[in-house]
Amino acid sequence: MAAPEVEAPETIEGYWVLHDFRRIDWPRWRSLPEAARSRLLEELLGFLGECASVEGVERGGSSRAYRVITQKADLAVIHFRPDPAQLFDLQAGLWRCGIADFLLPAYSYFSVIELSLYRGPSSRPEVMERRLYPRIPDRRYMCFYPMNKRRGERYNWYDLPASERREMMKGHGRVGHKYAEQVTQIITGSQGLDDWEWGVTLFADHPIHFKKLVYEMRFDPASSRYAEFGPFYIGMTASPQDITALLLGS
Ligand code: VOV
């Protein structure tokens, strides 16, 4: 029997990414005097403003804050940066804010924007640039979840010949393209970086698009046979006013 064709797809990487989810320690936060809460809030907003200021710089990165629904978290910050060391500083920067004493860790994820070249690189450099070094899309809702490709006895993605994986990724792309208008997807690779193999971050103006897309994809073989998923987090973009309203109720 011929040896199976074992060939990892070539990948190219862009921005490094940190997803940082926090839960507010409401009882302790509410027990602070109002002046102290205002001061800590101001400091947090200053920090978030500084994070977002890199967006004016070419390939400088991007940062956004989100409110998170369900009890899994209250707040999330997503950072894209060209150098992974910057993410270490950003993580420490949030911890150094006084309000960090009231922001309990809920979940976090470290990964890097990845294109797998199943179809070869795009011949248009500006397309590659936009996909590897994007701004965080200005869409109201964000959906994040980590995933693996299965390595079971029956279905093992990593044992498949490259040609079969390529065919399956074509099918995956076909389903995805139906939603290309409503949903922007940013796939980050985390093999060797975090507990799952990929991070999936989707952006849309309404969460119904996440449901429709993810449900339809469940029937596609690349997902139905081979994908395993971690927890889902849904966020809504949070402006400084939204964060103030959340934390001070005004
Ligand atoms: C808007 C929807 C959308 C679209 C258009 C889309 C297209 C594409 C293309 C063309 C390609 C391949 C080349 C590349 O660009 O890397 C990919 C790649 C990938 N995808 Fe995707 N995907 C979408 C959406 C989309 C979703 C919703 C998921 C989660 C799966 C689910 O069931 O919940 C996903 C996963 C992935 C993964 C993990 C990879 C990397 C696989 C690998 O083995 O390397 N993806 N994806």
Side-chain angles (χ1 to χ4, degrees):
M1 206 172 87
E5 191 189 341
V6 281
E7 184 198 314
E10 195 189 335
T11 58
I12 40 175
E13 282 74 24
Y15 278 145
W16 290 84
V17 178
L18 177 67
H19 292 73
D20 189 343
F21 294 88
R22 304 288 174 122
R23 221 177 353 229
I24 298 164
D25 186 344
W26 285 109
R28 285 187 55 243
W29 173 250
R30 266 198 307 261
S31 71
L32 280 182
E34 201 176 323
R37 280 188 282 156
S38 297
R39 185 169 37 76
L40 294 175
L41 172 68
E42 277 311 303
E43 186 193 17
L44 173 69
L45 295 179
F47 170 73
L48 294 175
E50 236 175 75
C51 294
S53 69
V54 295
E55 292 202 348
V57 181
E58 200 188 325
R59 277 204 193 183
S62 189
S63 292
R64 285 281 186 295
Y66 295 89
R67 294 178 57 186
V68 178
I69 191 110
T70 80
Q71 295 172 0
K72 283 183 267 191
D74 292 300
L75 274 176
V77 191
I78 301 179
H79 303 290
F80 292 179
R81 289 294 184 278
D83 180 346
Q86 293 171 286
L87 299 177
F88 286 72
D89 291 341
L90 289 166
Q91 176 177 282
L94 181 53
W95 280 120
R96 276 197 298 267
C97 289
I99 202 171
D101 292 353
F102 304 87
L103 297 179
L104 308 174
Y107 196 70
S108 60
Y109 209 78
F110 177 53
S111 55
V112 60
I113 292 184
E114 172 198 281
L115 298 183
S116 48
L117 300 183
Y118 278 110
R119 301 170 302 171
S122 167
S123 54
R124 291 164 54 209
E126 70 279 10
V127 172
M128 297 297 277
E129 177 73 19
R130 201 165 357 102
R131 296 190 58 198
L132 290 170
Y133 299 99
R135 263 184 67 150
I136 297 177
D138 283 320
R139 292 192 146 177
R140 188 142 195 240
Y141 293 94
M142 175 279 292
C143 167
F144 170 76
Y145 53 101
M147 66 171 280
N148 287 340
K149 287 284 172 84
R150 191 164 285 145
R151 251 178 285 121
E153 279 184 24
R154 175 144 181 237
Y155 290 121
N156 185 333
W157 178 256
Y158 297 91
D159 266 352
L160 290 176
S163 52
E164 267 183 57
R165 280 183 277 118
R166 198 174 307 118
E167 267 318 295
M168 254 184 281
M169 287 316 291
K170 241 197 238 170
H172 167 84
R174 264 196 302 274
V175 176
H177 280 123
K178 290 202 229 166
Y179 294 86
E181 291 264 298
Q182 297 99 326
V183 181
T184 309
Q185 94 280 15
I186 294 187
I187 302 299
T188 53
S190 42
Q191 298 86 354
L193 301 176
D194 213 325
D195 298 342
W196 296 77
E197 294 169 345
W198 284 278
V200 180
T201 315
L202 309 174
F203 302 88
D205 294 326
H206 197 288
I208 191 67
H209 302 305
F210 302 142
K211 180 180 186 295
K212 300 278 186 203
L213 163 64
V214 172
Y215 186 52
E216 184 166 352
M217 247 176 205
R218 293 278 156 122
F219 292 89
D220 180 70
S223 292
S224 65
R225 290 185 198 148
Y226 293 102
E228 290 170 345
F229 303 100
F232 280 64
Y233 291 85
I234 302 294
M236 184 167 74
T237 327
S239 66
Q241 292 75 14
D242 296 329
I243 295 174
T244 305
L246 173 71
L247 286 164
L248 297 186
S250 59

